[in-house]
Amino acid sequence: MSAKAISEQTGKEYLYKYICTSAPVQNRFCYANVTTETDIQRLAQQHPWLLTERLVVKPDQLIKRRGKLGLVGVNLDLNGVKEWLKPRLMKETMVGKAKGILKNFLIEPFVPHKQTEEFYVCIYAAREGDYILFHHEGGVDVGDVDAKAQKLLIGVDEKISEDRVKRELLTKAPNDKKAILASFIVGLFNLYEDLFFTYLEINPLVVTKDGVYVLDLAAKIDATADYICKSKWGDVEFPPPFGREAYPEEAYIADLDAKSGASLKLTLLNPRGRIWTMVAGGGASVVYSDTICDLGGVDELANYGEYSGAPSEQQTYDYAKTILSLMTREKHPDGKVLIIGGSIANFTNVAATFKGIVRAIKDYQGPLKEHEVTIFVRRGGPNYQEGLRVMGEVGKTTGIPIHVFGTETHMTAIVGMALGHRPIPNQPPVAAHTANFLLNSSSSTSTPTSRRKDSSENKAKVEGSPAKKVKTGASVTKASTLFTKHTKALVWGMQTRAVQGMLDFDYVCSREEPSVSALIYPFTGDHKQKFYWGHKEILIPVYKNMSDAMRKHPDVDVLISFASLRSAFESTMETMQYPQIRTIAIIAEGIPEAHTRKIIKAADEKGVTLIGPATVGGIKPGCFKIGNTGGMLDNILASKLYRPGSVAYVSRSGGMSNELNNIISRTTDGVFEGVAIGGDRYPGSVFTDHVLRYQDTPGVKMIVVLGEIGGTEEYKIGQAIKQGRITKPVVSWCIGTCATMFSSEVQFGHAGACANQASETAVAKNKALKEAGAYVPKSFDELGEIIKSVYDDLVSKGVIQPAEEVPPPTVPMDYSWARELGLIRKPASFMTSICDERGQELLYAGMPITEVFKSEIGLGGTLGLLWFQRRLPKYACQFIEMCLMVTADHGPAVSGAHNTIVCARAGKDLISSLTSGLLTIGDRFGGALDAAAKQFSHAFDSGMLPMEFVNKMKKDGKLIMGIGHRVKSINNPDMRVQILKDFVKQNFPSSQLLDYALEVEKITTSKLQSQIEC
């Protein structure tokens, strides 16, 4: 999520530290924190003002209306504060529907003042800018400030001034305080912008003759701006909503999330509950929670969470084991259920993520059986068949009841099965589509021509016609037709898999040319990248500079941006400098809201349609698809996305958009166009932008809208229906109905999925849409039935005439994906038994690197794995390490070191100097040890006596390597050799070769004492 609440103490710390105003802000940094661990006497030593000032004490746990609830102690001395805390600290308290423990309190100086000196100030973010609310009467009884307060909108990129504040906000403020209030409000707004606040409320703000006092403060900041504000924010702690504890497991998953490019979320609702979920996708996770609550499971729902964005096997394992650990701590008399669900993935390798879950299930199979856990699985997407197979197998091998379903089963059907509301099929139907791709049976290399007849006579005209323009609120018009069969796009970022998916889609749609004209990648020079067009290889240019790509491809009017959250703002603003671009899709999640609003403003001014941020994109069957939208080709074919249908949809969630593709293809003649506008609070385009486009598109006969909790855009659809602007049937459902059933606030997976007022709840929006005339099901479970009912009615009336199906051209499967699916095999170019890093984890002689560290085998043990391909005994590992220690450095006098030094002094670089020394290694330096090992082992293995060996070497005129030293002798032995000999004698079970060498040493030193082993 983006907007996160911070504690009052943190908010005041930021204000006192960074506000810039001529108004004298009093009591800066005068606050003290009290918890159960606090020693009041020591606290008074740290804050001497506690002993001299009258005090105010209150809980600092995101509790609203503390004064009304009697949770503020006023005008007390320190002893009075102690007495006030006694019946409250660590006591359970009800605040609204939430029951929680008061454990964190804030003490501040009491400020004597008059009621007339209290004011109310609030700043909050909206799509069009930031609103400042001011009321000349603040305090506990301020009432409905939305109705009472003066309101000033500071538009995106606008500047605030004291004159404007006085003129529009302070009309009812006392004249003698207007100057100081204006200066403070301007300073507060600049602070709000600079530190990326999304909400900042002060009530009351007290202004006396001495200056300004900030008494009570509530605030939220945009957590996605951490990379910008880290130096000012420091390490921010985001407290949980009152009534919900902060669990270490939540912090652990949050840390994993922060370190990963994927999305991992976990919120514990009721750790003693029997219903646990492990859901893939932000939208899907909300749908599953809704369905559980709809079926009466709200009191038993243990957690909310999601994993998405293609997490690795290890990340999924860490996430899964955390949930399995939590759910196997306390038994439930009815046993427990684990729902592993998800929509149809667009790009996540389902089998890879399921491998992580399977590992966790195997690790916890004992506790899972002990706690009588039953697991229900439903998933679709890339390689999902293999994932489901593996999940089914682990159920058989462990004895844990695991029921597995694919895309043939409605997404939330497993919830009804898990809760006993619907029977569990004995043999679930097998999906007709698998990852089967065949080479084109035709010998022609050209793209086959589509022979399907459209279900609307107007469709062909619409597809071939130039983009129409539709008026928006801005002075510039936007295109009503975003994509056609001739749309050309640029892709920002080296996303070769996504681009190949677009080209494969183009091919099965029988496009004449690829939809991707070029890639932009600023981190390399200009070059060409190889892709497939059907079974032919083609080259697509890659440009370092956007200007070159635009200049060389003037027919491009779409840009798909895979830029990271850090660079998406700059690259998108640069894109809008080129008038040829009419549509931009921004895939990145986590762009700060302030940046997104600037992008939206620029797009509105230039007539550019935005899709995203935080989206998978959109798709127009038979014409064009954005990036990974629609998943892999098996799902494209199964959902009939290679040709247009009659139903257009718009969704916030990318994963749920693919689920809509599946539902619509099973209940109607298919999708005409679908767009996922993105899950952020301020998507670049809103529902009505696309619904009105669909209304004006002849080929669209009915519209599906999948909204969600948060925001009020869905009401505009209802208004348009009432006003007659929308006349086509609209089937709509807003997910997030479970939110009203929870006792404390839950932030769902999408940043925008949070209701700040009653009108933003999913329940209220569903009711309003139904009253307006939209077709609204009772739950998501019934969405497919309602869509089918409306579609059948349109068919019966002759509005829709289903077209004859024509099979699409086939596309070969990529080698890497076919290998991953296990469909093919190919001999390796070379093999090694030493190490392997092809999988999720590096292996040393078959041992995972994590186990290498867990086992603490050290450097010696690691070298044993690499050199001998097996675990060595401890004494052998220690011996290897000793050898490395005693040979680590020979000093500067030896020939190799000497040559290295000479080269370095001659100005050669490090590599050249080191190479000079290494090339000196031979039998007389460095290599003597190797040669000695060869000579002694050969003599020993040949059965020669030591004396025979010495005589033979002398007769052959060869030196015995390892014997003889210029300095060392019997009376002055080399201690390195002595240490190693002693260790071997004491620890090795056998030392035959050493004994042989020592016998040789006795012979050679009998004539010359310096002929010792060295």
Side-chain angles (χ1 to χ4, degrees):
M1 66 175 292
S2 54
K4 286 189 177 182
I6 56 177
S7 67
E8 181 176 4
Q9 180 176 337
T10 301
K12 286 183 173 176
E13 181 182 339
Y14 293 162
L15 188 150
Y16 293 147
K17 191 181 291 186
Y18 298 114
I19 192 168
C20 183
T21 174
S22 60
V25 179
Q26 303 297 323
N27 287 344
R28 287 179 183 252
F29 304 105
C30 285
Y31 45 71
N33 179 255
V34 177
T35 65
T36 50
E37 290 81 25
T38 301
D39 183 329
I40 297 293
Q41 289 183 336
R42 183 174 296 175
L43 192 69
Q45 293 173 359
Q46 295 170 349
H47 304 281
W49 53 267
L50 290 171
L51 299 172
T52 58
E53 300 278 347
R54 302 299 291 179
L55 305 171
V56 173
V57 59
K58 54 194 173 184
D60 188 7
Q61 294 178 237
L62 309 184
I63 299 173
K64 299 176 182 177
R65 295 177 289 279
R66 291 170 294 188
K68 289 274 190 183
L69 296 169
L71 293 177
V72 182
V74 180
N75 198 12
L76 306 171
D77 60 12
L78 190 57
N79 287 326
V81 168
K82 290 182 191 176
E83 292 302 314
W84 189 89
L85 284 171
K86 278 182 182 178
R88 295 174 176 85
L89 184 60
M90 294 308 293
K91 296 297 187 292
E92 196 170 68
T93 303
M94 285 293 297
V95 175
K97 294 191 298 181
K99 182 188 292 184
I101 296 173
L102 298 173
K103 58 175 70 173
N104 191 49
F105 289 83
L106 196 62
I107 306 175
E108 295 178 301
F110 172 68
V111 180
H113 62 275
K114 303 171 187 175
Q115 179 66 39
T116 56
E117 295 174 324
E118 290 187 348
F119 304 93
Y120 175 89
V121 179
C122 178
I123 310 173
Y124 65 88
R127 184 181 182 87
E128 59 274 18
D130 297 287
Y131 285 94
I132 306 175
L133 271 60
F134 177 83
H135 192 47
H136 61 286
E137 296 174 344
V140 177
D141 299 316
V142 67
D144 184 2
V145 290
D146 288 324
K148 292 181 179 180
Q150 300 294 109
K151 188 180 290 188
L152 171 61
L153 170 63
I154 307 298
V156 176
D157 274 341
E158 284 185 11
K159 298 298 180 183
I160 189 173
S161 68
E162 292 187 18
D163 289 340
R164 188 177 176 191
V165 169
K166 289 177 185 177
R167 187 172 61 251
E168 298 186 41
L169 277 183
L170 305 182
T171 55
K172 296 182 181 180
N175 288 329
D176 62 333
K177 292 185 170 62
K178 283 186 178 180
I180 193 171
L181 280 168
S183 175
F184 179 81
I185 290 172
V186 169
L188 188 70
F189 183 81
N190 290 332
L191 167 84
Y192 168 95
E193 278 196 324
D194 291 344
L195 268 67
F196 284 76
F197 280 84
T198 61
Y199 182 85
L200 182 55
E201 180 189 56
I202 301 174
N203 181 37
L205 174 71
V206 171
V207 181
T208 70
K209 59 182 177 60
D210 299 320
V212 176
Y213 297 87
V214 177
L215 296 198
D216 286 348
L217 180 146
K220 293 182 179 181
I221 58 176
D222 186 350
T224 60
D226 179 72
Y227 73 97
I228 301 171
C229 299
K230 181 71 174 178
S231 60
K232 291 184 177 180
W233 286 354
D235 294 323
V236 191
E237 283 192 23
F238 297 104
F242 183 75
R244 204 174 71 230
E245 295 298 313
Y247 293 91
E249 290 81 6
E250 293 176 335
Y252 172 69
I253 296 300
D255 183 57
L256 285 180
D257 179 64
K259 296 175 181 176
S260 165
S263 176
L264 302 168
K265 304 287 188 295
L266 176 63
T267 299
L268 288 177
L269 303 172
N270 175 18
R272 294 185 174 86
R274 67 177 294 263
I275 306 169
W276 292 76
T277 63
M278 195 184 307
V279 180
S285 61
V286 180
V287 171
Y288 276 97
S289 296
D290 283 350
T291 309
I292 291 168
C293 294
D294 288 341
L295 297 179
V298 62
D299 293 331
E300 291 290 353
L301 181 57
N303 71 306
Y304 167 78
E306 58 116 349
Y307 67 95
S308 59
S312 67
E313 179 184 327
Q314 183 62 39
Q315 289 165 344
T316 314
Y317 168 75
D318 292 335
Y319 185 81
K321 74 175 183 180
T322 302
I323 291 179
L324 298 184
S325 170
L326 286 164
M327 73 180 298
T328 54
R329 291 180 185 177
E330 291 187 36
K331 289 188 176 182
H332 194 284
D334 300 326
K336 296 186 178 182
V337 294
L338 173 61
I339 296 171
I340 302 176
S343 56
I344 300 172
N346 289 288
F347 55 89
T348 298
N349 185 336
V350 175
T353 56
F354 271 15
K355 285 177 184 177
I357 298 175
V358 165
R359 280 175 55 198
I361 291 173
K362 288 179 179 178
D363 288 351
Y364 281 86
Q365 58 182 297
L368 288 171
K369 286 190 279 190
E370 182 184 346
H371 288 75
E372 301 178 63
V373 175
T374 304
I375 300 175
F376 293 83
V377 182
R378 191 274 185 183
R379 194 73 164 107
N383 208 7
Y384 82 94
Q385 297 93 344
E386 174 64 12
L388 296 181
R389 185 194 68 77
V390 170
M391 195 67 76
E393 286 296 321
V394 78
K396 295 175 183 177
T397 56
T398 61
I400 299 168
I402 300 181
H403 304 281
V404 178
F405 304 91
T407 55
E408 76 289 336
T409 303
H410 189 276
M411 192 178 96
T412 54
I414 60 172
V415 177
M417 299 176 200
L419 302 189
H421 291 272
R422 68 167 70 194
I424 304 171
N426 291 327
Q427 186 64 40
V430 179
H433 58 287
T434 61
N436 293 328
F437 300 88
L438 301 174
L439 286 169
N440 192 343
S441 55
S442 169
S443 59
S444 172
T445 59
S446 61
T447 306
T449 304
S450 175
R451 300 187 304 276
R452 184 178 190 272
K453 296 178 182 178
D454 293 326
S455 60
S456 167
E457 292 180 3
N458 295 319
K459 271 183 191 172
K461 296 177 183 178
V462 172
E463 298 302 334
S465 62
K468 295 181 180 179
K469 306 289 183 179
V470 62
K471 277 281 186 183
T472 67
S475 58
V476 183
T477 57
K478 293 187 179 182
S480 62
T481 301
L482 301 184
F483 314 116
T484 71
K485 267 206 165 189
H486 307 290
T487 295
K488 290 295 187 76
L490 294 174
V491 175
W492 199 105
M494 190 59 70
Q495 292 287 328
T496 54
R497 179 177 168 185
V499 171
Q500 185 60 64
M502 292 176 66
L503 300 184
D504 289 342
F505 175 81
D506 297 341
Y507 189 81
V508 299
C509 292
S510 301
R511 279 185 57 127
E512 294 178 1
E513 293 180 319
S515 60
V516 180
S517 292
L519 283 73
I520 302 168
Y521 193 60
F523 307 107
T524 62
D526 292 358
H527 65 283
K528 293 186 184 296
Q529 186 74 28
K530 184 172 69 175
F531 292 97
Y532 287 101
W533 177 251
H535 57 274
K536 291 193 305 181
E537 288 182 300
I538 62 173
L539 294 174
I540 292 181
V542 180
Y543 298 99
K544 181 179 179 65
N545 297 313
M546 186 179 294
S547 58
D548 293 337
M550 296 291 182
R551 178 170 48 82
K552 294 181 180 179
H553 302 278
D555 56 341
V556 164
D557 65 353
V558 175
L559 183 130
I560 302 168
S561 174
F562 285 95
S564 71
L565 62 92
R566 289 175 174 81
S567 57
F569 173 69
E570 288 79 8
S571 60
T572 305
M573 295 300 282
E574 181 187 1
T575 302
M576 285 189 281
Q577 295 175 12
Y578 300 94
Q580 70 189 75
I581 299 297
R582 310 305 299 163
T583 304
I584 301 175
I586 307 171
I587 310 301
E589 181 179 0
I591 300 173
E593 291 177 355
H595 287 176
T596 299
R597 292 186 301 169
K598 291 179 181 180
I599 292 172
I600 293 170
K601 181 184 178 185
D604 288 343
E605 291 172 350
K606 295 175 181 294
V608 175
T609 298
L610 296 174
I611 299 175
T615 183
V616 71
I619 190 166
K620 189 166 186 180
C623 293
F624 183 83
K625 89 173 183 116
I626 297 172
N628 294 302
T629 309
M632 295 191 64
L633 267 184
D634 56 348
N635 189 68
I636 298 287
L637 298 175
S639 297
K640 301 180 178 65
L641 297 174
Y642 51 85
R643 50 69 171 171
S646 302
V647 185
Y649 71 80
V650 58
S651 162
R652 269 189 170 274
S653 166
M656 290 306 299
S657 71
N658 216 6
E659 195 63 40
L660 286 177
N661 291 330
N662 181 47
I663 293 172
I664 291 170
S665 71
R666 291 174 181 272
T667 55
T668 72
D669 67 348
V671 174
F672 181 89
E673 183 179 337
V675 172
I677 60 174
D680 281 358
R681 284 212 300 170
Y682 308 120
S685 53
V686 295
F687 287 122
T688 47
D689 292 334
H690 299 285
V691 171
L692 293 178
R693 284 197 307 106
Y694 298 155
Q695 170 65 30
D696 297 336
T697 302
V700 176
K701 303 304 180 184
M702 61 179 286
I703 301 166
V704 176
V705 177
L706 188 65
E708 70 179 24
I709 182 176
T712 57
E713 288 297 329
E714 290 88 346
Y715 291 103
K716 295 180 182 178
I717 299 173
Q719 292 169 5
I721 294 173
K722 288 179 179 179
Q723 295 165 0
R725 177 66 179 87
I726 298 174
T727 58
K728 294 176 180 178
V730 176
V731 179
S732 179
W733 178 250
C734 295
I735 65 176
T737 54
C738 62
T740 55
M741 304 182 194
F742 296 145
S743 59
S744 62
E745 180 184 298
V746 174
Q747 171 63 52
F748 295 110
H750 294 156
C754 184
N756 296 311
Q757 53 192 9
S759 61
E760 294 187 10
T761 63
V763 172
K765 291 194 280 189
N766 284 329
K767 181 182 178 183
L769 284 164
K770 188 169 186 178
E771 291 172 352
Y775 295 87
V776 180
K778 294 179 182 177
S779 68
F780 182 81
D781 250 357
E782 296 182 3
L783 181 62
E785 297 172 17
I786 294 292
I787 291 173
K788 187 177 188 310
S789 173
V790 173
Y791 172 79
D792 289 344
D793 183 57
L794 293 174
V795 172
S796 67
K797 293 176 179 177
V799 176
I800 296 176
Q801 298 176 1
E804 177 188 352
E805 287 290 347
V806 175
T810 54
V811 178
M813 181 185 290
D814 285 348
Y815 168 77
S816 58
W817 189 247
R819 185 179 61 180
E820 188 162 348
L821 293 177
L823 300 179
I824 60 172
R825 62 187 182 189
K826 175 181 176 291
S829 300
F830 61 88
M831 296 180 66
T832 174
S833 58
I834 299 174
C835 70
D836 188 349
E837 59 178 354
R838 291 172 297 173
Q840 291 288 335
E841 191 173 353
L842 173 66
L843 300 178
Y844 282 174
M847 188 176 187
I849 191 65
T850 51
E851 291 299 318
V852 171
F853 283 95
K854 284 179 185 177
S855 303
E856 297 182 351
I857 60 177
L859 185 58
T862 303
L863 291 176
L865 291 173
L866 296 176
W867 290 353
F868 304 106
Q869 288 97 61
R870 62 189 179 93
R871 287 283 298 271
L872 296 180
K874 188 175 181 180
Y875 63 83
C877 296
Q878 191 173 347
F879 179 74
I880 292 175
E881 292 179 5
M882 291 175 67
C883 290
L884 291 172
M885 291 165 68
V886 299
T887 58
D889 191 358
H890 280 284
V894 294
S895 55
H898 176 81
N899 285 356
T900 302
I901 293 168
V902 170
C903 282
R905 291 295 299 273
K908 289 288 189 178
D909 60 89
L910 176 63
I911 300 298
S912 301
S913 300
L914 181 60
T915 302
S916 173
L918 292 173
L919 291 174
T920 312
I921 293 175
D923 288 350
R924 300 297 298 274
F925 163 69
L929 287 175
D930 289 339
K934 290 178 183 177
Q935 289 178 354
F936 283 117
S937 58
H938 176 71
F940 178 80
D941 293 339
S942 300
M944 281 190 281
L945 296 174
M947 182 60 76
E948 292 175 329
F949 170 62
V950 173
N951 291 337
K952 184 177 186 305
M953 295 297 288
K954 183 178 180 180
K955 182 179 178 181
D956 294 343
K958 294 180 180 178
L959 295 173
I960 300 175
M961 293 294 109
I963 293 291
H965 200 279
R966 291 182 178 181
V967 178
K968 303 301 178 182
S969 65
I970 291 290
N971 298 323
N972 180 28
D974 189 332
M975 292 308 300
R976 296 174 297 181
V977 178
Q978 195 64 42
I979 290 169
L980 291 174
K981 287 194 296 187
D982 293 344
F983 181 84
V984 170
K985 287 293 186 182
Q986 294 171 13
N987 295 280
F988 277 65
S990 174
S991 57
Q992 292 176 306
L993 194 56
L994 174 61
D995 295 339
Y996 186 88
L998 292 175
E999 287 299 319
V1000 172
E1001 182 187 52
K1002 287 181 182 179
I1003 297 169
T1004 58
T1005 55
S1006 63
K1007 294 183 179 179
L1008 186 63
Q1009 290 190 349
S1010 63
Q1011 296 297 308
I1012 64 169
E1013 287 188 306
C1014 55

